Amino acid sequence: EELIQAREALLDRTVSFFAQQPDVLGIFLAGSLPAGSADAYSDIDLRIICTPDGQARLLAGRLDWPGQWGDLLFNEWLNGTQHCVSHFRPFLKIDVFYWTPVTFTPSPWFGMPAKVFLDRDGLVQRVLSESQSLAFSCSSSTEVSRTLSKALAGAPEVVRRARRGELHYAQSL
């Protein structure tokens, strides 16, 4: 119960922060929380739609903003990506994706349950609605087999590299 309450408080603070940003056009929650399948350990999957200038500004501050939302432990990110994953005490995680109206387009992923917090011009609801009729394409059994075999082949390679002390290479696998 403590984790759930802490997660709700973190979500409220984060949504409030983004809602106050004039270049944020929309905010919505995706993932297990709006789907009703979350447990105490589920993370927050927040999506921010912003102007192109706002995206650049928010991405530039993506490592600093989370410090205003709660008891930040650390951030994880990759250069060139449009998101940041932030970890907080007591065992909370929030994934924030920053999109513009050009990059936020209908997708089967957006056909999943979502909770809209802010939609200044109706774009969020339009894209979510248009996404309802989209479906994921099914992979062939050959493609599934190829992918699984590649993943299974990678596991011993990681062990081999780690035992050699090649930790950076092992991590890259």
Side-chain angles (χ1 to χ4, degrees):
E1 186 62 30
E2 178 185 326
L3 281 176
I4 293 170
Q5 290 175 356
R7 182 179 61 216
E8 289 172 1
L10 174 61
L11 177 60
D12 289 345
R13 287 189 302 271
T14 306
V15 168
S16 177
F17 169 83
F18 284 114
Q20 294 174 26
Q21 307 302 313
D23 40 18
V24 170
L25 307 172
I27 304 168
F28 72 98
L29 182 66
S32 62
L33 292 174
S37 60
D39 62 22
Y41 304 103
S42 296
D43 66 347
I44 299 168
D45 296 306
L46 200 61
R47 310 305 187 234
I48 308 300
I49 315 306
C50 44
T51 64
D53 288 343
Q55 182 190 41
R57 182 181 69 80
L58 291 169
L59 284 171
R62 69 182 162 180
L63 303 181
D64 299 320
W65 308 127
Q68 299 177 35
W69 308 336
D71 193 0
L72 178 67
L73 293 170
F74 63 93
N75 293 304
E76 57 178 295
W77 76 100
L78 291 171
N79 288 332
T81 61
Q82 310 304 307
H83 72 285
C84 185
V85 179
S86 302
H87 298 260
F88 298 83
R89 283 190 182 92
F91 204 65
L92 302 170
K93 183 177 97 157
I94 184 168
D95 303 349
V96 181
F97 284 77
Y98 302 92
W99 291 315
T100 66
V102 171
T103 59
F104 179 54
T105 58
S107 161
W109 288 107
F110 301 138
M112 310 290 266
K115 180 177 180 181
V116 178
F117 293 105
L118 177 71
D119 192 4
R120 294 195 201 277
D121 59 5
L123 173 65
V124 173
Q125 195 55 57
R126 182 183 59 76
V127 170
L128 294 179
S129 293
E130 289 177 10
S131 297
Q132 294 302 309
S133 63
L134 301 178
F136 293 100
S137 60
C138 294
S139 298
S140 69
S141 61
T142 302
E143 182 62 19
V144 170
S145 178
R146 186 196 68 76
T147 302
L148 287 174
S149 66
K150 188 70 175 165
L152 291 172
E157 186 64 21
V158 169
V159 171
R160 197 175 290 113
R161 297 300 180 150
R163 287 184 177 169
R164 288 180 182 154
E166 298 171 344
L167 299 180
H168 289 291
Y169 188 81
Q171 183 180 13
S172 73
L173 293 172

